[in-house]
Amino acid sequence: MSTSQTLPMDKETNPALTDEREPVRMDVIEQIAAMAEGTERPALIWGNTDRATVAAEALWVFARRVGLDGRGDDAFTAVQDLIANLMHLCEQEDITSGEVTFRSLVDLAEMHYLAELDENIGL
């Protein structure tokens, strides 16, 4: 099971995509999430594969909860819905307010992501 596959975007989000790319199905996310079963709590993060596995586990729990866990369901929809629900949570509980916007959280997360990618260079 490779966690190197990225979640695809639809053509409305990214018109440059071609029809050749198949969407990642939730059964793939389920298989990645299963790799976390029986591991230590809290999870030991040794690299980006561990980070992706923990994220898949969270996404799989969410997808099961909202009914997006069917074999035909695609991960793109589950990720979108999870992000939208996180936005609702952040607004409702004032996690984001004033100058701290959800966009600023996403920007900070992207900075962490890019730094973590750099950690794997040369491995």
Side-chain angles (χ1 to χ4, degrees), residues 39-89:
T39 60
E40 295 183 39
R41 304 282 192 241
L44 296 175
I45 304 295
W46 295 100
N48 292 337
T49 298
D50 295 328
R51 290 179 181 103
T53 301
V54 170
E57 184 179 26
L59 183 61
W60 180 244
V61 168
F62 172 79
R64 284 192 349 235
R65 183 74 168 159
V66 299
L68 291 172
D69 57 340
R71 296 223 178 262
D73 290 318
D74 65 78
F76 182 82
T77 300
V79 169
Q80 274 184 312
D81 286 357
L82 176 57
I83 292 169
N85 287 3
L86 286 170
M87 292 172 85
H88 289 294
L89 173 65

Side-chain angles (χ1 to χ4, degrees), residues 12 16 18 23 31 33 39-40 51 55 57 85 98-99 104 108 115 117:
E12 290 177 19
T18 67
Q31 291 171 11
T39 60
E40 295 183 39
R51 290 179 181 103
E57 184 179 26
N85 287 3
E99 291 185 24
S104 68
L108 186 58
L117 287 179

Side-chain angles (χ1 to χ4, degrees), residues 84-121:
N85 287 3
L86 286 170
M87 292 172 85
H88 289 294
L89 173 65
C90 287
E91 178 185 8
Q92 178 178 313
E93 298 303 319
D94 288 328
I95 296 168
T96 53
S97 62
E99 291 185 24
V100 179
T101 64
F102 194 82
R103 178 77 243 169
S104 68
L105 291 178
V106 171
D107 290 344
L108 186 58
E110 184 176 27
M111 282 182 11
H112 284 262
Y113 165 76
L114 293 172
E116 291 161 357
L117 287 179
D118 287 343
E119 289 175 7
N120 281 344
I121 292 176

